[in-house]
Amino acid sequence: MVSGETERWPHLAVPKFWSVQFGTEIKSVGVPSVADEVAIVQGSVALRRFLAVYGYKGRIVAAVAFNQNKWFEFYEPLIEQAAPFPPTFRHVDEPAEARPVPAGFPAAANPTQDATVVVTGHYPNERRARLTDRRVP
């Protein structure tokens, strides 16, 4: 409110939620549905205790944890920075095979289903948000 116009930027919070469903704690940060790839980076899907990281065009866009939230908050700044996907650092409780696979989200049924915002700029005075249409390559 008191900054010069070149120092202002829109509030661009990363979406997140958490829930407990039938004894399973689920936490999500970012927008998984825009991803084209996903990698299980911690835990095990078979044991229903894992952390998945989602990528879109080589950048981290989301993370989802199922009963595996100890390191979950580590990913929010990576999403904000559009860090490279897949992550190249070592993880605690890393699965033997942590390579990305296609995310497999269905095509949008209608334009309001998955509005996507692309955030650019790493410094506050460079931040911009632009609504995109994923249906157009």
Side-chain angles (χ1 to χ4, degrees):
M1 290 178 11
V2 295
S3 298
E5 188 172 335
T6 59
E7 298 297 316
R8 291 185 215 146
W9 71 94
H11 177 70
L12 301 171
V14 176
K16 51 185 142 183
F17 81 88
W18 69 268
S19 181
V20 176
Q21 299 291 319
F22 305 102
T24 300
E25 184 176 55
I26 304 166
K27 289 188 175 185
S28 176
V29 62
V31 185
S33 62
V34 302
D36 52 14
E37 292 184 295
V38 61
I40 304 302
V41 296
Q42 290 179 290
S44 165
V45 174
L47 297 175
R48 296 179 182 236
R49 185 188 54 76
F50 63 91
L51 195 142
V53 176
Y54 293 80
Y56 178 69
K57 294 187 178 181
R59 299 292 174 192
I60 296 175
V61 295
V64 176
F66 283 72
N67 289 329
Q68 179 84 3
N69 63 19
K70 185 173 183 179
W71 301 100
F72 175 74
E73 292 180 9
F74 172 78
Y75 290 94
E76 185 171 350
L78 296 178
I79 295 164
E80 290 173 338
Q81 299 164 18
F85 178 87
T88 56
F89 42 82
R90 302 291 300 181
H91 297 83
V92 173
D93 195 19
E94 186 173 69
E97 187 89 20
R99 65 187 165 95
V101 296
F105 288 105
N110 59 54
T112 60
Q113 178 177 334
D114 63 351
T116 301
V117 174
V118 174
V119 179
T120 59
H122 292 287
Y123 298 101
N125 62 342
E126 295 175 354
R127 285 265 169 115
R128 300 291 180 268
R130 175 174 52 89
L131 185 63
T132 64
D133 186 346
R134 280 191 32 206
R135 296 170 296 155
V136 179

